[in-house]
Amino acid sequence: MDRQGILIIVSGFSGAGKGTIMKELTARCEQYALSVSATTRQPRPGEEEGREYFFRTREQFERMIADGELIEYACYVNNYYGTPRAWVEEQLEKGRDVILEIEIQGARKVKKQYPDAVLLFVMTKDIQTLMERLAERGTEAPEVIAERLRQAVAEAEGIEEYDYLIVNDDLNACVEQVHSIILSEHEKVIRNREKIARIRAELEELVKGE
Ligand code: 5GP
């Protein structure tokens, strides 16, 4: 195959807008495949089974873990979240760039298994904006928001483990930025070994024939 898909891991503070950026990116460009995770958290108003998440009971989720169906899973604010393996691998094989929108513990586990993955960290330009967005969303109780902010403190500790920082000020600019980062990643020499080997072989053939 000519083009191997890239695994893209996107993390960021709750409310930073990573979901919106990734939805917009996948809507604009067919090359992207957004992975749908499984979770034990309750659906928010407007969320649909199989679109935002596969909503599962704790028992069902623990069965998925036992059966090895997940690439990784983590516990976040008292709920399980995990990435189904089969779909992700199938899409990568097809050459699509697969986006995993996951928190930092999961990101670390995926990076161990897929060392070529590209890690993006999304944040707002300041904490004031983050607080406003979390409050505007209005889907979480104040104590859940407080817990998500505590998680943000822990996630901020790990930002250096990521490859790129995305500051979400203007949605359109952010989507463009992520798209161009991924396009550049495809051009890296280490991702083009086959192409390089082919050109070398053709050159050698040519010189031999002279
Ligand atoms: P939310 O409840 O806001 O949809 O998600 C809470 C956090 O869980 C977010 O940081 C989100 O990126 C993360 N998350 C969603 N799916 C997964 C997953 O499959 N694995 C891990 N480790 N984190 C996930």
Side-chain angles (χ1 to χ4, degrees), residues 12 15 58 60 65 89 104 129 164 187 204 206:
R58 267 195 118 70
Q60 288 170 331
I65 300 172
E89 295 198 335
I104 191 164
T129 314
Y164 296 93
E187 304 314 319
E204 276 164 23
L206 196 75

Side-chain angles (χ1 to χ4, degrees), residues 18 37 41 44 53 72 74 76 81-83 101-103 106 137 148:
K18 54 190 186 299
S37 296
R41 105 156 146 63
R44 292 186 186 126
Y53 283 105
E72 60 73 39
Y76 178 94
Y81 293 79
T83 309
E101 199 201 305
I102 62 178
E103 51 66 69
R137 192 153 82 182
R148 282 174 178 255

Side-chain angles (χ1 to χ4, degrees), residues 98-129:
V98 180
I99 301 170
L100 307 183
E101 199 201 305
I102 62 178
E103 51 66 69
I104 191 164
Q105 308 163 62
R108 287 180 178 131
K109 290 182 206 159
V110 177
K111 180 75 182 172
K112 279 211 181 102
Q113 294 174 64
Y114 300 83
D116 292 343
V118 179
L119 277 70
L120 313 179
F121 195 93
V122 180
M123 53 194 258
T124 47
K125 67 175 190 303
D126 52 35
I127 294 306
Q128 185 58 32
T129 314

Side-chain angles (χ1 to χ4, degrees), residues 33-131:
L34 186 59
S35 163
V36 178
S37 296
T39 185
T40 58
R41 105 156 146 63
Q42 291 298 308
R44 292 186 186 126
E47 286 186 335
E48 270 181 34
E49 165 67 17
R51 189 181 66 189
E52 277 77 15
Y53 283 105
F54 297 108
F55 296 99
R56 296 291 179 259
T57 62
R58 267 195 118 70
E59 294 69 43
Q60 288 170 331
F61 198 100
E62 283 165 359
R63 167 75 22 222
M64 291 173 86
I65 300 172
D67 290 346
E69 288 177 30
L70 302 173
I71 293 178
E72 60 73 39
Y73 67 94
C75 203
Y76 178 94
V77 190
N78 302 323
N79 278 300
Y80 279 132
Y81 293 79
T83 309
R85 182 185 303 278
W87 190 83
V88 168
E89 295 198 335
E90 192 182 296
Q91 298 299 315
L92 286 173
E93 277 295 308
K94 285 185 185 162
R96 292 181 85 197
D97 297 328
V98 180
I99 301 170
L100 307 183
E101 199 201 305
I102 62 178
E103 51 66 69
I104 191 164
Q105 308 163 62
R108 287 180 178 131
K109 290 182 206 159
V110 177
K111 180 75 182 172
K112 279 211 181 102
Q113 294 174 64
Y114 300 83
D116 292 343
V118 179
L119 277 70
L120 313 179
F121 195 93
V122 180
M123 53 194 258
T124 47
K125 67 175 190 303
D126 52 35
I127 294 306
Q128 185 58 32
T129 314
L130 185 73
M131 301 283 289

